[in-house]
Amino acid sequence: MLGALRAACDEMGAVLVRSAHSANIKERRDASTALFDERGRMVMQAEHIPVHLGAMPSAVAAVLGERHEPGGAWILNDPYRGGTHLPDITVIAPLFHGAEPVGFAASRAHHADVGAREPGSMPADSRSLEDEGVVISPTRLDERTLRELAARMRNPRQREADLRAQLAAGRAGAERVEALIERFGLDSFRAGLGETLDYAERRTRARISELPDGVHEATDVLEAAEGDLELRLEARVEGDSITLDFSGSAEQHGGNLNCPLAVTLSACYFALRVLTDPDVPPCEGAYRPLTVVAPEGSLLNARPPAAVAAGNVETSSRVADLVLAAFGHALGQGTMNNLTLGNDDFTYYETLGGGQGACPDADGPSAVHVAMSNTLNTPIEALELEFPLRAVEYALRRGSGGAGRARGGDGVVRELEALAEMRYSLITERRRHPPPGADGGGPGARGKNLVNGEELPAKASGNLQPGDRLRIETPGGGGHGRD
């Protein structure tokens, strides 16, 4: 049943990507899918976006106690009621076998706009959720609701089409689950889900037990406009379980690097898989051996109405970095290099790949999306065909990887020329502090953001006129071992 569940999630993802209209989903594949049992436990996910998937159980939990019916659906994006940040909209379809509830099919996709004053709804300077767009509390999704929500966002026809693609993904999940029940019977299907969770737990605990007991510590910072915000981690390994304690980290702040607890959990789940068994079935069972401590009101467990646009993408990356650093890993670029461009006629969002950290026995890969991202790039052909942009340069940032016995991977250079007047917004990290190496390896190069050759801070927004050029040089990964 393991393979069938994974295939069902993969098919849901394929339906979503191929049905979507926005480049962000159909080209970059900034979307994720998963299946849950009737108790809200995640039983399988596709290998999509780590920051989406680890947080999606909170979205299902937000609607678990509601009254469900066959053919229904729910929608939400509220970061404090199951969401992550506002552009990530989740659609949840309850699954039934006849009149019997058997689970949920869920998809999450980053929409190119959700109605903020900044086109693309990823403002660099947001101070509250109101600045970041339309907040959707858990709501039944019918035709009227779909159209009303889309009408509050830029390019409503595209928003509506992408939401319908998510509904289609839910229907695909329902069809595959029904086929499994018809094949095995309802009792065997439910037993198989439970066995999947227990199997994943056993495999994860077995790998944790191979780690030496003890305490591992790490500190790092986020580059807020007002200065650095420190994050602290104490990781404790005890037998076949791990506790990740972030006590002592910065309090939530007035900018948008805050994240809800679901995002912090998501980053910890990703790091746990990297440290233990990346091939374990990705489900709730794999995360049972993990305890996460993040004090309420801190940067990693923010309270509403704190802004969270950067928390989901940048703070989550730093949380994963902290866990990996505590266990002696060289770090990758540690940022998604978020870029949004737009005006009243279009909105465009992308994240950029960079260098990954080296391993003890191998150089780090170059020019890839790493850690909490995992998207593709936007192909130049699609970019220039659909948007008033021209690609001036897209290349490896050679020599940006950290030195060492094994070198860190190189970042990329992405330079775009505006062909119309538009706004830009940049939410990036590792512009003041480079990604560190490990075991004597050197750090990767810091990233750079430039407009017409003038360097910008890590978080920046402004206007571009026709002919202006925006250039992003993404960080390299840290090296491993002394050269």
Side-chain angles (χ1 to χ4, degrees):
M1 187 177 291
L2 269 176
L5 290 170
R6 190 185 297 271
C9 291
D10 288 342
E11 184 172 340
M12 288 170 61
V15 169
L16 173 51
V17 166
R18 294 178 182 180
S19 303
H21 285 210
S22 67
N24 193 51
I25 301 174
K26 71 181 180 182
E27 301 288 357
R28 291 184 56 252
R29 304 189 181 185
D30 196 344
S32 303
T33 54
L35 289 172
F36 297 77
D37 68 8
E38 71 269 22
R39 291 164 57 184
R41 300 180 300 179
M42 186 169 68
V43 295
M44 190 59 63
Q45 64 187 43
E47 298 290 355
H48 290 151
I49 314 299
V51 76
H52 286 178
L53 292 163
M56 220 184 290
S58 297
V60 175
V63 303
L64 194 59
E66 302 289 347
R67 181 177 59 83
H68 303 294
E69 54 191 33
W74 295 82
I75 186 172
L76 62 88
N77 74 348
D78 187 340
Y80 300 103
R81 297 186 66 187
T84 50
H85 65 175
L86 298 186
D88 284 345
I89 297 179
T90 306
V91 174
I92 302 165
L95 306 179
F96 286 81
H97 177 62
E100 182 79 9
V102 294
F104 301 87
S107 67
R108 176 167 284 166
H110 186 115
H111 287 250
D113 189 88
V114 288
R117 69 178 188 277
E118 190 76 70
S121 302
M122 287 285 286
D125 59 351
S126 53
R127 311 291 292 181
S128 71
L129 277 185
E130 287 186 357
D131 298 330
E132 297 181 343
V134 176
V135 180
I136 309 169
S137 59
T139 303
R140 293 184 189 275
L141 183 57
D142 53 26
E143 282 293 319
R144 179 178 176 181
T145 301
L146 189 152
R147 291 185 177 129
E148 287 179 348
L149 287 173
R152 298 169 63 189
M153 305 171 186
R154 292 175 181 84
N155 200 343
R157 292 185 64 185
Q158 189 179 81
R159 300 290 75 71
E160 185 176 330
D162 286 349
L163 288 172
R164 292 190 187 281
Q166 289 185 252
L167 287 169
R171 289 193 293 271
E175 290 172 1
R176 292 297 158 258
V177 167
E178 181 62 24
L180 283 172
I181 294 173
E182 291 293 334
R183 177 181 176 187
F184 295 107
L186 182 56
D187 290 342
S188 294
F189 171 76
R190 284 175 166 157
L193 298 186
E195 284 299 318
T196 296
L197 300 180
D198 293 343
Y199 171 65
E201 180 182 2
R202 289 195 301 272
R203 281 185 57 171
T204 304
R205 288 191 183 278
R207 293 302 300 270
I208 294 173
S209 65
E210 296 172 3
L211 300 172
D213 283 2
V215 176
H216 309 262
E217 297 181 334
T219 61
D220 210 329
V221 299
L222 289 161
E223 299 169 348
E226 62 270 29
D228 293 341
L229 303 173
E230 187 177 59
L231 299 182
R232 307 183 66 87
L233 168 65
E234 182 180 275
R236 298 188 294 273
V237 180
E238 300 173 285
D240 61 358
S241 63
I242 291 181
T243 298
L244 301 177
D245 188 344
F246 295 94
S247 299
S249 295
E251 297 295 304
Q252 70 181 62
H253 76 129
N256 60 18
L257 282 162
N258 309 291
C259 58
L261 181 60
V263 172
T264 299
L265 293 174
S266 188
C268 293
Y269 295 159
F270 163 78
L272 177 66
R273 292 196 72 199
V274 172
L275 290 172
T276 56
D277 189 347
D279 295 322
V280 72
C283 62
E284 182 196 276
Y287 311 135
R288 288 173 179 168
L290 175 66
T291 300
V292 176
V293 179
E296 186 177 1
S298 71
L299 203 67
L300 304 182
N301 187 0
R303 294 180 295 235
V308 296
N312 181 61
V313 287
E314 299 302 279
T315 307
S316 68
S317 300
R318 193 63 67 255
V319 169
D321 279 354
L322 275 172
V323 179
L324 298 178
F327 287 89
H329 288 252
L331 300 185
Q333 65 168 345
T335 175
M336 297 191 197
N337 304 293
N338 302 270
L339 167 65
T340 52
L341 298 164
N343 54 32
D344 290 340
D345 299 320
F346 83 98
T347 54
Y348 171 71
Y349 170 73
E350 73 171 341
T351 57
L352 299 178
Q356 176 61 294
C359 297
D361 57 352
D363 292 343
S366 299
V368 293
H369 287 271
V370 294
M372 300 309 292
S373 179
N374 197 37
T375 63
L376 300 178
N377 70 340
T378 303
I380 297 298
E381 297 82 357
L383 175 82
E384 296 187 335
L385 180 66
E386 188 167 344
F387 305 104
L389 297 165
R390 184 172 71 89
V392 178
E393 183 178 1
Y394 189 31
L396 277 175
R397 190 186 177 197
R398 298 190 183 278
S400 56
R405 188 171 57 251
R407 288 193 59 87
D410 287 336
V412 303
V413 175
R414 179 90 146 173
E415 185 169 342
L416 301 175
E417 180 181 340
L419 303 181
E421 184 176 355
M422 65 186 69
R423 293 280 298 171
Y424 72 85
S425 179
L426 289 161
I427 298 178
T428 62
E429 281 285 325
R430 298 298 192 196
R431 269 50 181 176
R432 296 199 291 259
H433 303 276
D439 195 26
R446 293 181 297 108
K448 291 183 180 180
N449 306 327
L450 306 102
V451 169
N452 296 329
E454 181 178 345
E455 192 163 352
L456 303 172
K459 317 295 187 293
S461 58
N463 296 308
L464 296 177
Q465 300 299 323
D468 286 346
R469 293 186 175 186
L470 187 150
R471 180 182 179 91
I472 300 175
E473 300 178 7
T474 69
H480 196 288
R482 297 191 182 279
D483 194 353

